[in-house]
Amino acid sequence: MIVRPQDFAGLLRALLKGSVEFIVVGGVAAAVHGAARSTYDIDIVYARSRENIDRLVAALSPLRPYLRGAPPGLPFVFDRDTVERGLNFTLETSLGDLDVLGEIVGGGTYESLLSKSATIEVFGMACRVVALDALIRLKRAAGRPKDFEAIAELEALIEERDTRRNVE
């Protein structure tokens, strides 16, 4: 696996500055909730409206998005047509790796995850982040060994949160 430098704050800033409707999921969401695991990309679920796709494309185009793992020189244009015809994209950008998901296993679309998310400060910016309970369901549905390993830590964070609430 090639590990590239990541500017998570820069990626989120570009999306927010572009008024893109998205929810942070995956490892960065876990970190926001207090998990200690490392992550090498940002995963977002984005709204699939034509207007939002246009904002997504405009926000990411200056960052030279390219399909992660694709051979150099493979023709790839990240534009409205590409995003509308596709759904999920694993991208490398000039600021780091970004998974752009129109739908996520176990959680569905942006609209279905909206009620399972909250606006939380991430790197000093207000971002929508999937709730901890929903994140556990997403990890369980993904079914990868690394997700099952993360679930134990996420469940411990819920227990810790609940214990604090009961003490207060």
Side-chain angles (χ1 to χ4, degrees):
M1 166 174 46
I2 297 173
V3 178
R4 289 178 273 285
Q6 296 293 313
D7 182 356
F8 291 153
L11 283 167
L12 292 174
R13 189 175 302 107
L15 294 166
L16 291 168
K17 186 177 175 187
S19 300
V20 177
E21 294 175 87
F22 69 96
I23 300 169
V24 177
V25 297
V28 171
V32 168
H33 289 296
R37 292 180 171 274
S38 295
T39 188
Y40 302 103
D41 63 5
I42 294 184
D43 303 302
I44 64 163
V45 175
Y46 65 99
R48 295 273 301 164
S49 70
R50 179 168 265 221
E51 297 78 19
N52 196 58
I53 289 172
D54 286 342
R55 291 190 296 265
L56 176 70
V57 167
L60 295 182
S61 289
L63 307 179
R64 300 182 311 280
Y66 192 73
L67 293 173
R68 191 172 337 133
L74 181 76
F76 174 73
V77 178
F78 190 75
D79 61 10
R80 179 200 294 159
D81 289 340
T82 299
V83 177
E84 283 183 339
R85 289 185 180 126
L87 183 64
N88 296 338
F89 300 88
T90 56
L91 302 172
E92 56 185 55
T93 76
S94 60
L95 295 179
D97 293 346
L98 175 68
D99 291 356
V100 178
L101 310 170
E103 206 171 280
I104 189 167
V105 173
T109 64
Y110 171 86
E111 289 76 16
S112 61
L113 279 177
L114 200 51
S115 66
K116 298 169 186 78
S117 68
T119 301
I120 300 175
E121 190 168 302
V122 182
F123 304 113
M125 298 171 277
C127 293
R128 279 223 159 258
V129 178
V130 70
L132 192 50
D133 303 15
L135 181 59
I136 290 170
R137 283 191 300 279
L138 296 175
K139 295 265 182 208
R140 193 165 277 125
R144 302 173 298 187
K146 72 176 188 174
D147 293 311
F148 287 126
E149 291 170 11
I151 289 170
E153 181 181 14
L154 297 174
E155 287 175 337
L157 290 170
I158 286 179
E159 285 181 35
E160 181 181 315
R161 177 193 68 194
D162 293 347
T163 301
R164 275 197 315 263
R165 284 183 183 161
N166 292 332
V167 170
E168 295 171 353

